[in-house]
Amino acid sequence: MAKAVCSFGRENFVADISNIYTPKDLSFSFGKSTEKQGTTRKKPIAYITEINLIKVSFKVHLSRRLGVDVFSKIEAWKKMAEGKDTYAFTIGGKYLTKNRFFVESVSVDAKEINKKGEIVTADLSITIEEYAGYGVAMLSKTEKLNDYE
């Protein structure tokens, strides 16, 4: 099997001869929140109030013709979206952050349904958010990428 392009928990995004399951339109945001107070001469003073959590969005095209079990993938993402578990997220084998992520939302656009009522192709829009709450399980220095495959 081909090496994962990206991974999120047990979902390994791969592209090989028998299976194409890769993210597209991958975007993520980083930042901080500030508060403006008072002035020094003519400009307000900006205070950093917090570092924002990382949010990642991407789309996945699912197709039976490309070797993907469409309904199983939809069910797996639904389970993650409704669950409380957090997962590591990697791009090219590297962690985006040492914190884990949870699935914030998943939307499904079933593009093709055959006469048996089976979804043949679908597009998923997925948003995950960094989890850095009290008592968060961070990746330890000894954890390896293979622990999540």
Side-chain angles (χ1 to χ4, degrees):
M1 179 159 200
K3 185 177 177 179
V5 174
C6 288
S7 68
F8 180 71
R10 297 181 193 267
E11 293 298 314
N12 291 308
F13 300 101
V14 296
D16 63 22
I17 293 172
S18 64
N19 187 337
I20 298 177
Y21 178 52
T22 57
K24 61 181 181 176
D25 299 333
L26 179 69
S27 65
F28 34 96
S29 60
F30 311 90
K32 60 185 158 278
S33 296
T34 61
E35 182 180 305
K36 310 262 187 309
Q37 295 181 353
T39 60
T40 57
R41 301 186 187 178
K42 294 184 179 181
K43 293 189 176 187
I45 299 168
Y47 294 97
I48 297 172
T49 57
E50 65 185 6
I51 303 299
N52 296 336
L53 298 172
I54 299 169
K55 193 174 272 200
V56 180
S57 297
F58 54 93
K59 295 180 181 176
V60 179
H61 177 72
L62 304 175
S63 174
R64 287 179 59 181
R65 293 179 190 91
L66 299 175
V68 177
D69 183 343
V70 176
F71 195 74
S72 292
K73 291 297 181 190
I74 291 171
E75 284 293 310
W77 283 104
K78 178 181 181 280
K79 184 177 178 182
M80 285 191 282
E82 293 175 344
K84 296 179 181 178
D85 293 334
T86 60
Y87 307 94
F89 178 70
T90 65
I91 302 173
K94 296 180 182 178
Y95 295 105
L96 186 59
T97 177
K98 64 183 179 177
N99 292 329
R100 297 162 76 82
F101 289 79
F102 64 89
V103 176
E104 181 182 272
S105 66
V106 176
S107 64
V108 179
D109 184 6
K111 296 288 188 182
E112 182 182 351
I113 300 174
N114 66 18
K115 57 185 167 185
K116 295 180 184 176
E118 301 167 326
I119 300 172
V120 178
T121 60
D123 289 333
L124 303 183
S125 295
I126 300 163
T127 301
I128 62 175
E129 186 171 328
E130 181 181 17
Y131 180 75
Y134 177 76
V136 64
M138 297 179 129
L139 298 173
S140 72
K141 291 180 181 176
T142 58
E143 279 184 304
K144 296 184 173 122
L145 175 61
N146 294 337
D147 293 342
Y148 296 96
E149 294 182 338

